[in-house]
């Protein structure tokens, strides 16, 4: 029985790898079929659920996004890794469920408080709420952990510009109003 269990786990890992290979070739339907077979063989493997969720997101559409939420929830139930919460927050954002996205990203940050991806995502969520000061603060925290990340600088600059537009603030040059 032990040998049979090892063979099933190895077979599940094989189908998971085949599914990921198909996904890499942009053959998402074939990838999904293989990942689902891996899940049937080893339903206790959190990465399979996560990879199914990512594949569903790649396929697009609200129905697939809702299915992806369930897959991420299954992965979290098996092993509540902060990254699974981070990725599920992305799905919630796409489904315009901002409060749930914020709840998930807060859990991820609690588990890994200096992760720049998590801090950046929280800034993004704040920006969707129109809370640009909070977004800028999160981007600054992310930059403390990853000070050379140009994407974070760009997001921070976008939040600053959005805040200026929101409040009708005109930027004055570094030299002053009369330059």
């Amino acid at each position: 029985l032990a040998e049979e269990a090892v063979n099933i786990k190895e077979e599940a890992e094989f189908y998971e790898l085949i599914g990921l290979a198909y996904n890499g070739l942009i053959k998402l339907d074939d990838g999904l079929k293989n990942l689902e077979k891996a899940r049937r063989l080893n339903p206790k493997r959190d990465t399979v659920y996560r990879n199914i969720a990512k594949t569903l997101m790649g396929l697009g559409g609200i129905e697939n996004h809702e299915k992806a939420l369930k897959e991420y929830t299954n992965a979290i139930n098996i092993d509540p890794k902060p990254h699974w919460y981070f990725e599920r927050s992305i799905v919630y954002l796409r489904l315009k469920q901002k409060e749930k996205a914020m709840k998930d990203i807060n859990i991820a940050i609690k588990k890994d408080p200096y992760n720049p991806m998590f801090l950046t995502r929280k800034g993004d969520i704040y920006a969707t709420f129109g809370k640009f000061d909070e977004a800028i603060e999160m981007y600054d925290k992310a930059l403390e952990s990853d000070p050379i990340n140009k994407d974070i600088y760009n997001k921070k600059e976008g939040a600053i510009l959005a805040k200026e537009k929101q409040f009708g603030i005109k930027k004055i040059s570094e030299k002053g109003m009369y330059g």
Side-chain angles (χ1 to χ4, degrees):
L1 283 173
E3 188 176 314
E4 187 176 308
V6 168
N7 288 340
I8 289 173
K9 280 186 174 183
E10 288 176 357
E11 189 176 354
E13 288 176 23
F14 170 77
Y15 282 106
E16 184 175 6
L17 291 173
I18 294 296
L20 293 174
Y22 274 120
N23 287 354
L25 296 170
I26 320 296
K27 295 184 175 188
L28 300 179
D29 288 323
D30 292 328
L32 186 59
K33 288 175 190 171
N34 282 279
L35 290 166
E36 288 172 339
K37 187 166 187 173
R39 179 181 56 193
R40 282 191 302 276
L41 289 167
N42 186 2
K44 294 182 181 179
R45 189 169 164 88
D46 63 322
T47 58
V48 173
Y49 292 97
R50 181 267 190 161
N51 289 325
I52 290 172
K54 287 186 73 80
T55 303
L56 289 165
M57 292 300 292
L59 288 168
I62 291 174
E63 184 179 318
N64 284 327
H65 290 169
E66 289 172 352
K67 289 178 185 176
L69 281 178
K70 292 176 185 171
E71 298 299 334
Y72 277 120
T73 300
N74 289 331
I76 289 166
N77 289 337
I78 293 167
D79 187 357
K81 292 177 181 160
H83 209 83
W84 298 169
Y85 286 100
F86 164 76
E87 290 182 10
R88 191 171 70 175
S89 76
I90 296 167
V91 183
Y92 279 130
L93 270 182
R94 291 221 180 127
L95 292 171
K96 305 202 184 323
Q97 297 179 27
K98 296 184 268 187
E99 291 83 9
K100 289 181 180 180
M102 184 63 82
K103 182 180 175 189
D104 268 9
I105 203 61
N106 283 333
I107 293 169
I109 290 170
K110 186 175 182 181
K111 292 174 175 277
D112 188 357
Y114 302 104
N115 187 310
M117 286 189 317
F118 299 172
L119 297 167
T120 301
R121 174 69 55 220
K122 188 169 182 176
D124 296 345
I125 296 168
Y126 274 132
T128 67
F129 281 109
K131 295 182 176 186
F132 300 113
D133 287 329
E134 292 89 340
I136 293 164
E137 181 182 334
M138 282 299 111
Y139 296 140
D140 283 337
K141 284 185 180 181
L143 287 166
E144 288 174 18
S145 295
D146 189 0
I148 61 170
N149 189 315
K150 291 179 183 176
D151 290 332
I152 301 171
Y153 279 106
N154 290 337
K155 287 177 181 247
K156 180 181 174 183
E157 183 64 25
I160 291 168
L161 293 172
K163 178 183 171 187
E164 291 171 355
K165 184 176 180 182
Q166 181 183 42
F167 293 105
I169 301 169
K170 297 206 189 261
K171 204 171 187 180
I172 299 172
S173 74
E174 297 291 326
K175 295 180 183 177
M177 190 179 307
Y178 302 105

